[in-house]
């Protein structure tokens, strides 16, 4: 992803709920618009070998929308969104990165000794 991505806050369109926030991110010439529902509650906990994402219905819809944006046509490989306490997650949450990766990864040999 282009490290010079610009983050610009834009007003929500008139068809969106009045209590939503949208952020437009320019990545390699593509404008990605991420929206948060004001009622969204999203908490991410690291339990060691598991990560728990706990959210209310509005939070789940918000996360689904973020994933839909990243899955969209024309979105470049490596485009990503960082979610932290200061950007949409509940206090005490660990950071979460949603990233598009279209490259196939070679899984052979990972986690084995030979």
């Amino acid at each position: 992803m282009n490290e010079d991505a610009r983050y610009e806050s834009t007003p929500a369109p008139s068809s969106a709920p009045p209590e939503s926030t949208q952020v437009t991110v320019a990545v390699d010439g593509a404008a990605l618009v991420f929206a948060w529902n004001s009622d969204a509650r999203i908490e991410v906990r690291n339990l060691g070998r598991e990560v728990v994402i706990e959210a209310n219905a509005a939070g789940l819809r918000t996360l689904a929308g973020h994933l839909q944006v990243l899955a969209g046509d024309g979105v470049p490989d490596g485009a990503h969104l960082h979610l932290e306490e200061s950007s949409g997650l509940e206090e005490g949450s660990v950071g979460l990165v949603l990233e598009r990766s279209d490259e196939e990864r070679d899984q052979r040999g990972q986690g084995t000794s030979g």
Side-chain angles (χ1 to χ4, degrees):
M1 182 171 139
N2 181 352
E3 293 300 322
D4 295 327
R6 295 185 316 269
Y7 296 86
E8 302 172 10
S9 184
T10 58
S14 59
S15 63
E19 297 296 322
S20 66
T21 301
Q22 289 188 340
V23 175
T24 301
V25 181
V27 181
D28 295 338
L32 308 181
V33 179
F34 295 97
W36 281 262
N37 184 305
S38 66
D39 295 333
R41 185 187 55 74
I42 305 166
E43 182 178 349
V44 180
R45 296 187 312 269
N46 181 349
L47 302 180
R49 295 182 52 93
E50 293 181 319
V51 173
V52 175
I53 300 172
E54 180 180 302
N56 63 4
L60 292 172
R61 284 190 293 273
T62 295
L63 285 172
H66 294 343
L67 294 171
Q68 288 284 357
V69 168
L70 289 170
D73 292 337
V75 175
D77 185 81
H80 62 277
L81 177 65
H82 289 263
L83 298 174
E84 300 169 348
E85 283 184 26
S86 62
S87 62
L89 299 182
E90 293 290 303
E91 185 176 333
S93 291
V94 296
L96 178 66
V97 178
L98 306 175
E99 182 173 349
R100 179 171 180 151
S101 176
D102 294 321
E103 295 181 15
E104 291 186 28
R105 300 196 188 271
D106 184 0
Q107 298 296 319
R108 292 176 294 170
Q110 291 186 3
T112 64
S113 59

XYZ file of all heavy atoms in Angstrom:
837
model
N 0.846 -1.178 0.000
C 0.000 0.000 0.000
C 0.879 1.225 0.000
O 1.909 1.268 0.651
C -0.895 -0.009 1.232
C -1.828 1.158 1.266
S -3.022 0.942 2.586
C -3.041 2.597 3.180
N 0.486 2.231 -0.717
C 1.220 3.480 -0.774
C 1.277 4.101 0.611
O 0.264 4.355 1.242
C 0.503 4.422 -1.756
C 1.199 5.749 -1.915
O 2.144 6.068 -1.198
N 0.742 6.515 -2.872
N 2.494 4.338 1.118
C 2.660 4.919 2.444
C 2.217 6.377 2.496
O 2.091 6.946 3.570
C 4.119 4.790 2.894
C 4.541 3.360 3.125
C 3.718 2.661 4.182
O 3.365 3.288 5.190
O 3.427 1.473 4.001
N 1.986 7.004 1.347
C 1.575 8.399 1.308
C 0.055 8.523 1.217
O -0.460 9.513 0.726
C 2.216 9.110 0.101
C 3.719 9.176 0.226
O 4.211 9.291 1.365
O 4.404 9.101 -0.802
N -0.655 7.513 1.687
C -2.121 7.566 1.635
C -2.612 8.770 2.415
O -2.098 9.100 3.468
C -2.712 6.282 2.223
N -3.610 9.454 1.844
C -4.163 10.646 2.492
C -5.453 10.259 3.197
O -6.292 9.566 2.642
C -4.457 11.716 1.448
C -3.221 12.244 0.766
C -3.579 13.393 -0.162
N -4.756 13.140 -0.971
C -4.745 12.590 -2.175
N -3.621 12.221 -2.711
N -5.857 12.421 -2.856
N -5.607 10.738 4.413
C -6.816 10.484 5.189
C -7.583 11.791 5.266
O -7.082 12.779 5.759
C -6.467 9.995 6.594
C -5.751 8.673 6.568
C -4.378 8.594 6.422
C -6.467 7.486 6.659
C -3.731 7.375 6.379
C -5.828 6.275 6.628
C -4.467 6.219 6.487
O -3.839 5.018 6.446
N -8.803 11.782 4.750
C -9.614 12.988 4.738
C -10.984 12.655 5.302
O -11.622 11.696 4.879
C -9.785 13.505 3.307
C -8.478 13.812 2.612
C -8.685 14.129 1.145
O -9.847 14.295 0.721
O -7.691 14.208 0.436
N -11.433 13.435 6.246
C -12.771 13.242 6.786
C -13.765 13.898 5.843
O -13.552 15.007 5.378
C -12.866 13.867 8.178
O -14.119 13.612 8.722
N -14.824 13.171 5.533
C -15.844 13.718 4.644
C -17.202 13.602 5.327
O -17.441 12.673 6.087
C -15.900 12.953 3.303
O -16.166 11.579 3.588
C -14.610 13.083 2.538
N -18.101 14.531 5.060
C -19.434 14.429 5.671
C -20.187 13.243 5.110
O -19.982 12.844 3.977
C -20.099 15.755 5.288
C -19.339 16.254 4.113
C -17.943 15.692 4.213
N -21.056 12.681 5.931
C -21.870 11.553 5.498
C -22.874 12.038 4.460
O -23.401 13.143 4.555
C -22.603 10.958 6.696
N -23.162 11.221 3.427
C -24.168 11.621 2.441
C -25.543 11.685 3.089
O -25.781 11.085 4.128
C -24.097 10.505 1.394
C -23.456 9.354 2.077
C -22.578 9.923 3.145
N -26.449 12.386 2.458
C -27.766 12.608 3.044
C -28.542 11.323 3.256
O -29.429 11.270 4.089
C -28.570 13.558 2.161
O -28.693 13.007 0.869
N -28.246 10.262 2.519
C -28.970 9.002 2.681
C -28.461 8.199 3.874
O -29.105 7.246 4.291
C -28.855 8.165 1.407
O -27.502 7.839 1.187
N -27.309 8.554 4.434
C -26.759 7.828 5.575
C -27.429 8.295 6.859
O -27.934 9.410 6.935
C -25.250 8.062 5.655
N -27.433 7.435 7.875
C -27.989 7.876 9.157
C -27.245 9.112 9.641
O -26.045 9.248 9.420
C -27.721 6.690 10.090
C -27.458 5.534 9.197
C -26.924 6.092 7.916
N -27.934 10.042 10.278
C -27.295 11.288 10.690
C -26.182 11.081 11.704
O -25.345 11.933 11.866
C -28.439 12.106 11.293
C -29.503 11.115 11.592
C -29.328 9.982 10.633
N -26.164 9.945 12.378
C -25.160 9.686 13.386
C -24.107 8.712 12.876
O -23.749 7.767 13.550
C -25.820 9.155 14.665
C -26.756 10.133 15.305
C -26.066 11.389 15.784
O -24.932 11.304 16.283
O -26.653 12.471 15.645
N -23.608 8.909 11.670
C -22.546 8.059 11.141
C -21.351 8.932 10.781
O -21.466 10.134 10.620
C -23.022 7.278 9.917
O -23.285 8.154 8.851
N -20.198 8.294 10.700
C -18.961 8.979 10.346
C -18.360 8.272 9.149
O -18.366 7.037 9.092
C -17.959 8.934 11.523
O -18.559 9.549 12.650
C -16.666 9.633 11.177
N -17.844 9.029 8.201
C -17.171 8.451 7.048
C -15.779 9.031 6.940
O -15.560 10.210 7.204
C -17.923 8.751 5.753
C -19.215 8.000 5.625
C -19.828 8.169 4.257
O -19.522 9.101 3.533
N -20.693 7.260 3.904
N -14.852 8.168 6.539
C -13.480 8.590 6.286
C -13.111 8.111 4.893
O -13.336 6.944 4.559
C -12.503 8.008 7.332
C -11.069 8.350 6.985
C -12.857 8.504 8.723
N -12.571 9.006 4.078
C -12.118 8.650 2.746
C -10.605 8.523 2.762
O -9.911 9.421 3.242
C -12.530 9.718 1.710
O -13.956 9.835 1.733
C -12.062 9.349 0.315
N -10.104 7.398 2.255
C -8.675 7.134 2.208
C -8.290 6.966 0.745
O -8.891 6.165 0.036
C -8.323 5.855 3.003
C -6.835 5.600 2.973
C -8.836 5.939 4.427
N -7.295 7.719 0.296
C -6.809 7.590 -1.076
C -5.617 6.646 -1.071
O -4.620 6.892 -0.400
C -6.409 8.949 -1.624
N -5.744 5.525 -1.814
C -4.701 4.508 -1.860
C -4.396 4.199 -3.319
O -5.250 3.671 -4.024
C -5.149 3.212 -1.143
C -4.045 2.172 -1.185
C -5.565 3.492 0.278
N -3.192 4.529 -3.761
C -2.769 4.223 -5.127
C -3.833 4.615 -6.157
O -4.165 3.855 -7.044
C -2.419 2.746 -5.272
C -1.208 2.344 -4.441
O -0.402 3.234 -4.095
O -1.063 1.153 -4.140
N -4.413 5.772 -5.987
C -5.387 6.283 -6.943
C -6.819 5.832 -6.690
O -7.729 6.284 -7.365
N -7.037 4.941 -5.725
C -8.393 4.488 -5.407
C -8.871 5.208 -4.153
O -8.139 5.312 -3.178
C -8.412 2.974 -5.177
N -10.091 5.715 -4.185
C -10.677 6.379 -3.013
C -11.519 5.352 -2.270
O -12.513 4.854 -2.793
C -11.518 7.568 -3.439
N -11.110 5.017 -1.057
C -11.829 4.055 -0.239
C -12.594 4.817 0.830
O -12.025 5.629 1.547
C -10.859 3.073 0.424
C -9.870 2.371 -0.501
C -8.992 1.416 0.297
C -10.596 1.640 -1.613
N -13.889 4.562 0.942
C -14.730 5.260 1.910
C -15.169 4.263 2.980
O -15.900 3.313 2.693
C -15.959 5.897 1.235
C -16.825 6.601 2.269
C -15.523 6.868 0.145
N -14.698 4.480 4.205
C -15.054 3.633 5.342
C -16.063 4.388 6.199
O -15.861 5.556 6.504
C -13.813 3.294 6.172
C -12.808 2.467 5.426
C -11.729 3.069 4.820
C -12.959 1.089 5.336
C -10.790 2.311 4.127
C -12.031 0.322 4.643
C -10.949 0.932 4.039
N -17.140 3.712 6.595
C -18.196 4.352 7.383
C -18.360 3.631 8.719
O -18.265 2.412 8.792
C -19.514 4.319 6.612
N -18.592 4.407 9.758
C -18.842 3.901 11.102
C -20.239 4.330 11.533
O -20.580 5.504 11.442
C -17.859 4.489 12.112
C -16.511 3.868 12.114
C -16.054 2.905 12.971
C -15.418 4.175 11.250
N -14.755 2.601 12.687
C -14.337 3.363 11.629
C -15.254 5.050 10.178
C -13.110 3.403 10.991
C -14.040 5.088 9.540
C -12.985 4.270 9.942
N -21.022 3.404 12.036
C -22.313 3.717 12.634
C -22.040 4.228 14.038
O -21.238 3.647 14.773
C -23.176 2.452 12.671
C -24.558 2.714 13.183
O -24.736 3.252 14.261
N -25.543 2.316 12.403
N -22.693 5.299 14.443
C -22.424 5.894 15.753
C -22.779 4.954 16.896
O -22.248 5.077 17.998
C -23.188 7.208 15.915
O -24.574 6.950 15.941
N -23.663 3.996 16.658
C -24.046 3.040 17.697
C -23.113 1.838 17.757
O -23.289 0.956 18.591
C -25.469 2.531 17.448
C -26.499 3.640 17.571
O -26.236 4.614 18.300
O -27.566 3.527 16.935
N -22.115 1.796 16.866
C -21.222 0.640 16.793
C -20.376 0.519 18.049
O -19.840 1.492 18.562
C -20.319 0.746 15.567
N -20.306 -0.720 18.543
C -19.428 -1.038 19.655
C -18.640 -2.261 19.230
O -19.207 -3.316 18.941
C -20.224 -1.340 20.928
C -19.340 -1.552 22.156
C -20.123 -2.018 23.355
N -20.914 -3.226 23.115
C -20.419 -4.468 23.005
N -19.133 -4.674 23.095
N -21.231 -5.488 22.802
N -17.295 -2.102 19.166
C -16.419 -3.181 18.710
C -15.274 -3.307 19.708
O -14.583 -2.321 19.986
C -15.838 -2.896 17.306
C -16.960 -2.616 16.309
C -14.941 -4.033 16.845
C -16.491 -1.996 15.005
N -15.092 -4.510 20.227
C -13.990 -4.764 21.148
C -13.174 -5.932 20.605
O -13.740 -6.936 20.149
C -14.514 -5.112 22.536
C -13.420 -5.342 23.560
C -13.959 -5.651 24.945
O -15.171 -5.494 25.181
O -13.149 -6.054 25.787
N -11.845 -5.803 20.634
C -10.958 -6.863 20.164
C -10.054 -7.265 21.324
O -9.383 -6.418 21.911
C -10.109 -6.392 18.956
C -9.195 -7.505 18.482
C -11.004 -5.904 17.822
N -10.083 -8.578 21.646
C -9.259 -9.095 22.738
C -8.343 -10.190 22.223
O -8.766 -11.039 21.441
C -10.148 -9.659 23.850
C -11.029 -8.616 24.512
C -11.786 -9.166 25.722
N -12.468 -10.427 25.503
C -13.734 -10.539 25.092
N -14.452 -9.455 24.857
N -14.296 -11.726 24.939
N -7.105 -10.175 22.693
C -6.126 -11.207 22.364
C -6.081 -12.178 23.528
O -5.684 -11.812 24.631
C -4.757 -10.580 22.128
C -3.709 -11.603 21.753
O -3.919 -12.804 21.848
N -2.563 -11.116 21.314
N -6.500 -13.421 23.296
C -6.515 -14.431 24.348
C -5.343 -15.400 24.225
O -5.401 -16.518 24.723
C -7.834 -15.210 24.317
C -9.106 -14.373 24.471
C -10.336 -15.268 24.429
C -9.074 -13.562 25.753
N -4.290 -14.989 23.573
C -3.123 -15.854 23.396
C -3.158 -16.540 22.052
O -2.586 -16.068 21.097
N -3.865 -17.676 21.971
C -3.947 -18.416 20.711
C -5.219 -18.094 19.935
O -5.463 -18.670 18.877
C -3.845 -19.908 20.972
C -2.474 -20.294 21.541
C -2.349 -21.779 21.765
N -2.698 -22.575 20.603
C -1.832 -23.015 19.683
N -0.568 -22.693 19.785
N -2.246 -23.763 18.685
N -6.043 -17.194 20.484
C -7.273 -16.772 19.824
C -7.431 -15.265 19.929
O -6.980 -14.666 20.895
C -8.509 -17.402 20.478
C -8.635 -18.881 20.334
C -9.899 -19.403 20.993
O -10.241 -18.940 22.092
O -10.540 -20.274 20.379
N -8.086 -14.719 18.943
C -8.475 -13.306 18.987
C -9.995 -13.279 18.976
O -10.630 -13.952 18.159
C -7.913 -12.522 17.780
C -8.463 -11.116 17.750
C -6.393 -12.506 17.827
N -10.581 -12.529 19.895
C -12.033 -12.407 19.971
C -12.429 -11.017 19.502
O -11.897 -10.019 19.999
C -12.540 -12.635 21.417
C -14.039 -12.377 21.505
C -12.195 -14.033 21.884
N -13.321 -10.972 18.538
C -13.919 -9.718 18.097
C -15.356 -9.754 18.580
O -16.159 -10.562 18.113
C -13.856 -9.554 16.576
C -12.407 -9.564 16.107
C -14.563 -8.266 16.150
C -12.245 -9.593 14.601
N -15.662 -8.908 19.548
C -17.004 -8.847 20.124
C -17.623 -7.517 19.715
O -17.013 -6.470 19.887
C -16.907 -8.929 21.641
C -18.232 -8.883 22.352
C -18.054 -8.975 23.851
O -17.471 -9.963 24.330
O -18.483 -8.037 24.545
N -18.827 -7.590 19.171
C -19.462 -6.364 18.683
C -20.973 -6.478 18.778
O -21.529 -7.584 18.715
C -19.052 -6.103 17.232
N -21.620 -5.318 18.891
C -23.073 -5.301 18.799
C -23.448 -5.349 17.318
O -22.570 -5.383 16.444
C -23.659 -4.090 19.535
C -23.238 -2.764 18.951
O -22.560 -2.695 17.931
N -23.631 -1.688 19.605
N -24.755 -5.368 17.023
C -25.198 -5.484 15.633
C -24.648 -4.349 14.769
O -24.183 -4.576 13.643
C -26.721 -5.525 15.560
N -24.665 -3.124 15.282
C -24.144 -1.980 14.521
C -22.640 -2.134 14.294
O -22.126 -1.783 13.228
C -24.449 -0.674 15.248
N -21.934 -2.666 15.271
C -20.494 -2.896 15.126
C -20.197 -3.956 14.086
O -19.265 -3.823 13.288
N -20.991 -5.033 14.085
C -20.801 -6.080 13.075
C -21.079 -5.546 11.676
O -20.355 -5.849 10.722
C -21.689 -7.283 13.381
C -21.313 -8.072 14.632
C -22.385 -9.110 14.937
C -19.947 -8.710 14.490
N -22.127 -4.716 11.537
C -22.408 -4.108 10.227
C -21.282 -3.179 9.808
O -20.910 -3.128 8.629
C -23.745 -3.371 10.259
C -24.957 -4.300 10.207
C -26.255 -3.537 9.983
N -26.586 -2.688 11.117
C -27.278 -3.095 12.173
N -27.703 -4.341 12.251
N -27.547 -2.254 13.154
N -20.715 -2.445 10.756
C -19.596 -1.550 10.457
C -18.394 -2.353 9.964
O -17.790 -2.018 8.936
C -19.229 -0.714 11.698
O -20.334 0.147 12.015
C -17.992 0.127 11.470
N -18.030 -3.428 10.678
C -16.913 -4.278 10.249
C -17.181 -4.904 8.882
O -16.291 -4.949 8.029
C -16.648 -5.376 11.274
C -15.945 -4.953 12.549
C -15.923 -6.113 13.543
C -14.541 -4.453 12.272
N -18.411 -5.371 8.664
C -18.761 -5.955 7.368
C -18.607 -4.929 6.253
O -18.111 -5.245 5.166
C -20.193 -6.490 7.404
N -18.998 -3.695 6.530
C -18.838 -2.630 5.540
C -17.377 -2.366 5.227
O -17.002 -2.173 4.064
N -16.522 -2.372 6.267
C -15.084 -2.168 6.053
C -14.522 -3.277 5.158
O -13.733 -3.010 4.235
C -14.322 -2.164 7.370
C -14.637 -1.022 8.279
N -15.266 0.136 7.880
C -14.399 -0.868 9.603
C -15.393 0.954 8.905
N -14.877 0.365 9.964
N -14.931 -4.516 5.421
C -14.451 -5.636 4.614
C -14.965 -5.549 3.184
O -14.227 -5.849 2.232
C -14.865 -6.963 5.263
C -14.200 -7.252 6.612
C -14.845 -8.470 7.265
C -12.706 -7.428 6.479
N -16.204 -5.105 3.001
C -16.757 -4.929 1.653
C -15.966 -3.880 0.871
O -15.714 -4.038 -0.324
C -18.240 -4.528 1.708
C -19.149 -5.646 2.128
C -19.371 -6.663 1.009
O -18.898 -6.521 -0.105
N -20.080 -7.706 1.340
N -15.582 -2.785 1.548
C -14.789 -1.749 0.889
C -13.468 -2.347 0.414
O -13.057 -2.165 -0.740
C -14.542 -0.544 1.831
C -13.487 0.393 1.256
C -15.837 0.203 2.076
N -12.778 -3.081 1.292
C -11.484 -3.659 0.933
C -11.610 -4.723 -0.153
O -10.672 -4.938 -0.931
C -10.807 -4.245 2.171
C -10.307 -3.215 3.176
C -9.879 -3.892 4.476
C -9.167 -2.389 2.602
N -12.755 -5.391 -0.240
C -12.971 -6.429 -1.247
C -13.431 -5.861 -2.586
O -13.559 -6.600 -3.559
C -14.006 -7.435 -0.746
N -13.647 -4.562 -2.661
C -14.192 -3.945 -3.867
C -13.271 -4.015 -5.075
O -12.055 -4.152 -4.965
N -13.891 -3.927 -6.249
C -13.144 -3.895 -7.508
C -12.211 -2.688 -7.532
O -12.593 -1.595 -7.114
C -14.095 -3.811 -8.702
C -14.912 -5.082 -8.870
O -14.482 -6.144 -8.379
O -15.990 -5.005 -9.496
N -11.002 -2.884 -7.997
C -10.054 -1.792 -8.147
C -9.275 -1.450 -6.889
O -8.409 -0.581 -6.923
N -9.565 -2.124 -5.773
C -8.814 -1.869 -4.541
C -7.496 -2.618 -4.644
O -7.477 -3.828 -4.896
C -9.609 -2.322 -3.293
C -8.773 -2.166 -2.038
C -10.902 -1.531 -3.195
N -6.376 -1.912 -4.468
C -5.076 -2.553 -4.670
C -4.704 -3.531 -3.562
O -5.130 -3.395 -2.412
C -4.101 -1.370 -4.694
C -4.784 -0.295 -3.936
C -6.249 -0.493 -4.164
N -3.911 -4.514 -3.933
C -3.336 -5.451 -2.976
C -2.578 -4.658 -1.915
O -1.890 -3.698 -2.230
C -2.377 -6.385 -3.725
C -1.835 -7.473 -2.838
O -2.528 -8.466 -2.625
O -0.693 -7.317 -2.354
N -2.744 -5.021 -0.663
C -2.045 -4.327 0.425
C -2.836 -3.186 1.039
O -2.438 -2.651 2.064
N -3.971 -2.809 0.433
C -4.794 -1.760 1.036
C -5.251 -2.263 2.403
O -5.589 -3.437 2.561
C -5.994 -1.443 0.152
N -5.228 -1.396 3.397
C -5.574 -1.843 4.742
C -6.154 -0.725 5.578
O -6.048 0.441 5.232
C -4.349 -2.451 5.439
C -3.224 -1.490 5.631
N -2.306 -1.210 4.641
C -2.867 -0.748 6.690
C -1.436 -0.331 5.088
N -1.754 -0.021 6.347
N -6.752 -1.125 6.688
C -7.345 -0.192 7.632
C -6.921 -0.608 9.032
O -7.076 -1.775 9.401
C -8.876 -0.225 7.523
C -9.653 0.655 8.496
C -9.379 2.133 8.239
C -11.139 0.350 8.424
N -6.365 0.327 9.794
C -5.991 0.085 11.187
C -7.142 0.520 12.087
O -7.618 1.645 11.981
C -4.743 0.906 11.567
C -3.500 0.414 10.931
N -2.619 -0.425 11.574
C -2.969 0.637 9.707
C -1.605 -0.693 10.779
N -1.795 -0.064 9.633
N -7.558 -0.371 12.974
C -8.559 -0.040 13.972
C -7.896 -0.130 15.342
O -7.228 -1.122 15.647
C -9.750 -0.998 13.899
C -10.523 -0.987 12.592
C -11.585 -2.069 12.586
C -11.153 0.371 12.361
N -8.041 0.919 16.127
C -7.440 0.992 17.458
C -8.434 1.681 18.382
O -9.498 2.126 17.942
C -6.128 1.783 17.392
C -5.111 1.156 16.464
C -3.920 2.052 16.180
O -3.967 3.255 16.519
O -2.944 1.553 15.618
N -8.068 1.806 19.656
C -8.938 2.510 20.607
C -9.277 3.907 20.104
O -10.393 4.366 20.253
C -8.258 2.634 21.976
C -8.278 1.386 22.797
C -7.684 1.610 24.168
O -7.699 2.745 24.679
O -7.201 0.626 24.745
N -8.310 4.570 19.499
C -8.520 5.944 19.044
C -9.232 6.020 17.697
O -9.541 7.109 17.226
C -7.174 6.670 18.954
O -6.345 6.021 17.993
N -9.505 4.859 17.083
C -10.143 4.885 15.767
C -11.198 3.802 15.618
O -11.179 3.030 14.682
C -9.082 4.747 14.667
O -8.412 3.501 14.788
N -12.119 3.752 16.574
C -13.288 2.908 16.395
C -13.443 1.722 17.319
O -14.492 1.098 17.317
N -12.424 1.361 18.088
C -12.541 0.220 18.988
C -12.782 0.679 20.420
O -12.415 1.792 20.796
C -11.282 -0.652 18.933
C -10.943 -1.278 17.587
C -9.701 -2.151 17.719
C -12.101 -2.075 17.029
N -13.372 -0.199 21.206
C -13.636 0.081 22.609
C -12.334 0.189 23.396
O -11.318 -0.412 23.029
C -14.498 -1.037 23.218
C -15.902 -1.104 22.669
C -16.746 0.065 23.106
O -16.886 0.281 24.318
O -17.282 0.767 22.222
N -12.381 0.923 24.494
C -11.230 1.071 25.378
C -10.777 -0.303 25.860
O -11.586 -1.166 26.183
C -11.608 1.934 26.576
C -10.448 2.235 27.492
C -10.828 3.181 28.613
O -11.761 3.987 28.429
O -10.184 3.095 29.670
N -9.457 -0.526 25.856
C -8.883 -1.797 26.278
C -8.707 -2.794 25.151
O -8.150 -3.868 25.353
N -9.165 -2.448 23.954
C -9.029 -3.350 22.806
C -7.592 -3.378 22.308
O -6.867 -2.401 22.428
C -9.925 -2.888 21.651
O -11.283 -3.060 21.951
N -7.203 -4.524 21.739
C -5.932 -4.589 21.028
C -6.193 -4.113 19.607
O -7.328 -4.149 19.125
C -5.338 -6.018 21.027
C -4.997 -6.466 22.433
C -6.238 -7.014 20.342
N -5.158 -3.639 18.931
C -5.310 -3.155 17.567
C -5.700 -4.265 16.603
O -5.393 -5.440 16.813
N -6.393 -3.886 15.559
C -6.828 -4.815 14.523
C -6.532 -4.189 13.172
O -6.837 -3.019 12.945
C -8.338 -5.078 14.656
C -8.976 -5.995 13.624
C -8.435 -7.423 13.757
C -10.494 -5.990 13.775
N -5.919 -4.964 12.282
C -5.644 -4.494 10.931
C -6.433 -5.364 9.963
O -6.329 -6.597 9.996
C -4.131 -4.568 10.593
C -3.885 -4.107 9.156
C -3.322 -3.738 11.573
N -7.237 -4.727 9.131
C -7.945 -5.405 8.051
C -7.166 -5.109 6.780
O -6.997 -3.946 6.424
C -9.376 -4.870 7.936
C -10.225 -4.907 9.209
C -11.567 -4.224 8.964
C -10.416 -6.326 9.688
N -6.668 -6.133 6.113
C -5.804 -5.915 4.942
C -6.202 -6.827 3.796
O -6.481 -8.006 3.986
C -4.341 -6.182 5.301
C -3.397 -5.938 4.148
C -1.934 -6.035 4.539
O -1.632 -6.086 5.742
O -1.094 -6.040 3.638
N -6.195 -6.249 2.604
C -6.445 -7.034 1.391
C -5.135 -7.646 0.939
O -4.109 -6.963 0.847
C -7.017 -6.150 0.291
C -7.260 -6.923 -0.988
C -8.002 -6.123 -1.991
N -8.220 -6.884 -3.199
C -9.244 -6.693 -4.004
N -10.136 -5.771 -3.722
N -9.377 -7.410 -5.092
N -5.168 -8.942 0.651
C -3.987 -9.629 0.140
C -4.430 -10.582 -0.950
O -5.030 -11.620 -0.678
C -3.279 -10.397 1.264
O -2.189 -11.124 0.731
N -4.130 -10.224 -2.184
C -4.510 -11.062 -3.312
C -3.421 -12.056 -3.691
O -3.647 -12.933 -4.510
C -4.848 -10.184 -4.527
C -6.093 -9.356 -4.285
O -7.038 -9.873 -3.672
O -6.112 -8.187 -4.703
N -2.253 -11.932 -3.091
C -1.161 -12.858 -3.382
C -1.392 -14.161 -2.646
O -1.768 -14.174 -1.484
C 0.180 -12.266 -2.924
C 0.587 -11.034 -3.681
C 1.923 -10.500 -3.201
O 2.637 -11.234 -2.495
O 2.228 -9.353 -3.527
N -1.167 -15.279 -3.352
C -1.268 -16.577 -2.695
C -0.009 -16.788 -1.884
O 1.083 -16.465 -2.315
C -1.429 -17.679 -3.733
C -2.769 -17.627 -4.441
C -2.981 -18.804 -5.355
O -2.417 -19.884 -5.092
O -3.701 -18.630 -6.341
N -0.178 -17.323 -0.712
C 0.960 -17.572 0.165
C 1.289 -19.053 0.145
O 0.406 -19.893 0.173
C 0.651 -17.120 1.582
C 0.330 -15.649 1.640
C 0.412 -15.157 3.054
N -0.067 -13.808 3.167
C 0.705 -12.718 3.015
N 1.963 -12.850 2.741
N 0.192 -11.524 3.139
N 2.583 -19.360 0.146
C 3.048 -20.733 0.187
C 3.009 -21.201 1.631
O 3.778 -20.726 2.460
C 4.471 -20.822 -0.375
C 4.969 -22.235 -0.459
O 4.233 -23.176 -0.092
O 6.120 -22.420 -0.883
N 2.105 -22.105 1.953
C 1.931 -22.591 3.326
C 2.820 -23.783 3.648
O 2.871 -24.222 4.777
C 0.458 -22.952 3.573
C -0.477 -21.787 3.429
C -0.214 -20.706 4.461
O 0.044 -20.982 5.624
N -0.258 -19.450 4.037
N 3.488 -24.329 2.635
C 4.329 -25.506 2.875
C 5.466 -25.172 3.804
O 6.117 -24.145 3.651
C 4.887 -26.050 1.571
C 3.818 -26.642 0.686
C 4.383 -27.065 -0.601
N 4.828 -25.857 -1.311
C 5.550 -25.842 -2.420
N 5.915 -26.958 -2.960
N 5.898 -24.718 -2.988
N 5.693 -26.046 4.769
C 6.840 -25.884 5.658
C 6.599 -24.973 6.846
O 7.409 -24.939 7.734
N 5.497 -24.248 6.869
C 5.248 -23.369 8.003
C 4.745 -24.204 9.162
O 3.841 -25.013 9.027
C 4.225 -22.292 7.644
C 4.769 -21.300 6.657
C 3.804 -20.149 6.414
O 2.761 -20.065 7.030
N 4.168 -19.267 5.519
N 5.363 -24.027 10.323
C 4.952 -24.722 11.527
C 5.457 -26.153 11.596
O 5.073 -26.904 12.479
N 6.320 -26.547 10.664
C 6.893 -27.902 10.706
C 8.393 -27.802 10.775
O 8.985 -26.773 10.421
C 6.500 -28.723 9.462
O 7.066 -28.111 8.304
C 4.988 -28.838 9.330
N 9.023 -28.870 11.187
C 10.485 -28.841 11.303
C 11.154 -29.390 10.064
O 12.365 -29.434 9.983
C 10.927 -29.653 12.531
O 10.484 -30.983 12.413
N 10.416 -29.835 9.084
C 11.086 -30.414 7.940
C 10.338 -30.387 6.732
O 9.799 -29.990 5.946
